[in-house]
Amino acid sequence: MTENRRRILIVEDDRETAEQLVEFAEANGYEADLALNGEEGFERGRSPDYAVMVIDRMLPSIDGITIIRRLREIGIVTPTLIISALGEVDDKVRGLRAGGDDYLVKPFAFAELLARVDALARRSTAVVKDMVLRVGDLTLDLVSRSVTRAGREIELLPREFQVLEYLVRNEGHVVPRAMLLQHVWDLHFDPTTNIIDVYVGRVRRKVDSSRDYPLIHTVRGVGFCVRAPS
Amino acid sequence: MAIAGFGAIVLSLLGYIYWSTTSYVASRTDRVIAAEQSLLQAAYDRGGRGALVAAIKARIAERAVDGGLYLLADQNFKPIAGNLADWPRDLSSGNFDAPGTGRRSSYRVLVRTLPDQWRLLVGQSTEDLESFTRAIDAALAFTLLLIAMLAGVVSILVTRRTVGRIESINATSRAIMERGLAARIRLRGVNDEWDELAKNLNSMLDRIEALMREVREVTDNVAHDLRTPLARIRGRLEKASGTPRKAESDQKLVDDTIGDLDGVLRIFSSLMRISQIESAARTEGFAIVDLATIARDVVELFDAAAEQKPITLSVAGDPCVVVTGDRDLLFDAVANLVDNAIKYGKKNGMVTVTVRALEHEALIAVADDGPGIPSDEFAHIFRRFYRLERSRCTAGNGLGLSLVAAVAHLHRARIDLKDNQPGLAFRLLIPSGNTTPEDRA
């Protein structure tokens, strides 16, 4: 899956973090603009060119949440990822997921940040109503809810099918554990146990064992990724 | 304020007693006069003047000492018969010479003009009434004095007692400020409001002391649980800084360090999550939820983990049990219990999640048939970072059950532990009419 170079806006007051973010975004196919304070962030954020905005919750002078609210008031609907040091404790931030935006708790893995930015960037474009999903020799029939690999049927429980479907829909992108939990189980917290890994592990055994190549990959510390060898 | 109110009530009560007794006695006098009058009137109607004069004489003879006053006079007020020498000049004053004594006394009188313009006067001395009133006055004054004295004594006693109790609370407060939380207010053992207050303050102090002890323990444990991985990281980096770079070992070093830091961050987020739930700021997320659905979802999520052990994980009980609560938190709590049950249950054992609607509460229980825990450890396991000695080597940070306890508290649920013989059963009892704390207050 190839992505056009997309512009994102990063609003972060800590210079070192900001530069790390820009570097990482640019290394992963984004063109990143940086704003080091709230006012600048708001001014730049008025541009409709950005695919995604990444905004720190705690900024001197204007708060991250306020920037989003003010941008929404003037009709800017750019999907936004808020970075918060408070995270789940912060109800305002929690509310973001309900509004279609997203949040990430500081400190975070860059891979997870990228996964979430990717997901927000994709949201506006790729909503294709496929009936059949394919990755490598794996086929998911969304109508009959059946899975085959190299023509041979794989038995999956309904929830396992949903997990695989979500991973396949995000083919080539890392899906963080919390996102999987959110989309498949509708749970909005980060589990402290490795339960998701165990669950995906079982799906992987059914899908990948004794096959030519694995499709479901674990991304250490972040989540999972479905990828066929190129 | 209360004393003024009490005084006003006492005064008005005494006033009422005075008024009602005197007016009763006065009206009794008037009734006597009216009866005499109608008796004489009847004699006149029967036999004219002669009968009337005879009747007057008879009444005077009969009521010699009663203070009755009779006088029949002709149209020129000349006395004809009776025990009053002259027709009184000033009838309104009611003061006449007492018959036979020459002493002036007060009377109530009634005058009637007969059909032939003669006048009949009937009166009654009010001396009885006056002496009665005087007696009542004296009694009431005495009562008032007695009540005032009693009230004075009682209020002095109450004030002294109040001041004494306040002083004992003050002394305890000072002791706590000076020497720490150990002091308690002494109870009198009389079960009055003061003892009640002292008891409540004491149990508040107990709670604060327990919380402080818990915070201290948590701090110690946090220090331990965070220091261990941080010390590992530090040692690893220190060792690496003294050795030449090697791609392979460097990669392992970096990966291990990230892994340890993730562990530290997980502890942090668990602690924040628990303290947030404990501050009960999340009741706005309450909605109608089905515990049975939650149980099925949890079991489904942990199915793979149970399979790995292997343990048979199943749901039992009612198919739909509705409570008001936060789905995420209830899910998290049940997930923690199931996670524990699988972790500490025995291989090839059973873990069962039971959901049942009871009369006033909803039950969700997680039971295993593993080794269980000694019953004397029951009270401790909900404490933060508490881990049985033998489980120190198992993965986990000892915060799971604290989270369960916090979620239970938020839902006003009771948690209990039962020996499942063998194994352990955690039971969460959520009130069916569960409402948010704001609604209840």
Side-chain angles (χ1 to χ4, degrees), chain B residues 190-264:
Chain B
V190 289
N191 282 323
D192 60 355
E193 310 76 34
W194 287 103
D195 268 8
E196 190 69 20
L197 173 69
K199 241 184 266 170
N200 284 336
L201 287 174
N202 282 346
S203 40
M204 187 176 82
L205 289 169
D206 289 345
R207 178 95 185 99
I208 292 172
E209 206 180 19
L211 283 174
M212 282 179 63
R213 193 170 47 236
E214 208 174 291
V215 167
R216 208 160 38 236
E217 275 170 23
V218 170
T219 316
D220 292 350
N221 284 317
V222 169
H224 175 266
D225 281 44
L226 294 184
R227 254 195 201 127
T228 314
L230 289 175
R232 266 205 309 267
I233 294 168
R234 199 189 181 287
R236 206 180 288 140
L237 291 175
E238 199 176 322
K239 195 175 140 204
S241 93
T243 51
R245 301 271 65 78
K246 259 189 292 174
E248 200 178 305
S249 63
D250 281 3
Q251 186 56 47
K252 187 179 178 322
L253 171 93
V254 169
D255 288 349
D256 288 352
T257 304
I258 290 177
D260 276 343
L261 283 174
D262 282 347
V264 170

Side-chain angles (χ1 to χ4, degrees), chain B residues 46 53 126 130 137 140 190-191 196 210 222 226 256 262 279 384 406 424 438:
Chain B
R46 234 183 3 256
V53 171
T126 55
E130 274 155 18
D137 284 352
L140 290 186
V190 289
N191 282 323
E196 190 69 20
V222 169
L226 294 184
D256 288 352
D262 282 347
S279 72
R384 251 165 259 191
L424 193 63
E438 290 82 53

Side-chain angles (χ1 to χ4, degrees), chain A residues 7-75:
Chain A
R7 280 179 74 192
I8 63 170
L9 174 65
I10 294 167
V11 187
E12 162 67 67
D13 62 317
D14 181 68
R15 191 172 281 277
E16 186 173 342
T17 309
E19 277 162 9
Q20 285 172 355
L21 286 174
V22 170
E23 210 174 295
F24 192 77
E26 289 185 337
N28 285 281
Y30 286 94
E31 207 171 289
D33 288 348
L34 179 64
L36 285 166
N37 61 56
E39 284 89 357
E40 200 190 335
F42 176 69
E43 285 310 317
R44 285 177 174 265
R46 295 162 68 115
S47 155
D49 298 346
Y50 294 110
V52 177
M53 292 186 290
V54 178
I55 302 181
D56 191 17
R57 166 79 163 95
M58 309 259 203
L59 291 167
S61 70
I62 312 182
D63 176 63
I65 298 277
T66 312
I67 296 179
I68 297 177
R69 206 191 59 233
R70 280 165 53 176
L71 287 173
R72 297 288 182 263
E73 275 167 11
I74 57 167

Side-chain angles (χ1 to χ4, degrees), chain B residues 153-357:
Chain B
V153 169
V154 166
S155 67
I156 286 169
L157 285 179
V158 168
T159 309
R160 274 170 77 178
R161 205 180 63 146
T162 306
V163 170
R165 302 306 284 268
I166 290 177
E167 190 37 54
S168 91
I169 293 173
N170 272 333
T172 311
S173 309
R174 277 194 299 272
I176 286 170
M177 282 187 281
E178 283 161 16
R179 295 187 294 277
L181 273 174
R184 290 292 177 272
I185 302 160
R186 206 161 42 82
L187 297 186
R188 288 268 174 88
V190 289
N191 282 323
D192 60 355
E193 310 76 34
W194 287 103
D195 268 8
E196 190 69 20
L197 173 69
K199 241 184 266 170
N200 284 336
L201 287 174
N202 282 346
S203 40
M204 187 176 82
L205 289 169
D206 289 345
R207 178 95 185 99
I208 292 172
E209 206 180 19
L211 283 174
M212 282 179 63
R213 193 170 47 236
E214 208 174 291
V215 167
R216 208 160 38 236
E217 275 170 23
V218 170
T219 316
D220 292 350
N221 284 317
V222 169
H224 175 266
D225 281 44
L226 294 184
R227 254 195 201 127
T228 314
L230 289 175
R232 266 205 309 267
I233 294 168
R234 199 189 181 287
R236 206 180 288 140
L237 291 175
E238 199 176 322
K239 195 175 140 204
S241 93
T243 51
R245 301 271 65 78
K246 259 189 292 174
E248 200 178 305
S249 63
D250 281 3
Q251 186 56 47
K252 187 179 178 322
L253 171 93
V254 169
D255 288 349
D256 288 352
T257 304
I258 290 177
D260 276 343
L261 283 174
D262 282 347
V264 170
L265 292 172
R266 260 198 301 279
I267 292 178
F268 264 127
S269 60
S270 295
L271 280 173
M272 282 180 85
R273 189 170 160 76
I274 291 168
S275 68
Q276 183 217 7
I277 296 166
E278 279 181 343
S279 72
R282 281 192 68 152
T283 43
E284 72 265 32
F286 273 30
I288 305 284
V289 291
D290 177 18
L291 286 180
T293 307
I294 289 177
R296 282 192 292 270
D297 286 350
V298 172
V299 163
E300 216 239 83
L301 178 62
F302 279 86
D303 196 33
E307 216 175 77
Q308 237 177 21
K309 179 106 180 183
I311 269 179
T312 311
L313 178 62
S314 59
V315 189
D318 300 333
C320 178
V321 178
V322 166
V323 295
T324 307
D326 184 315
R327 176 176 174 261
D328 275 9
L329 293 181
L330 288 171
F331 191 103
D332 204 2
V334 177
N336 265 292
L337 293 177
V338 170
D339 189 51
N340 271 337
I342 292 174
K343 213 180 278 172
Y344 302 120
K346 68 165 194 253
K347 275 190 181 165
N348 298 311
M350 303 247 299
V351 170
T352 312
V353 183
T354 310
V355 184
R356 220 175 276 290

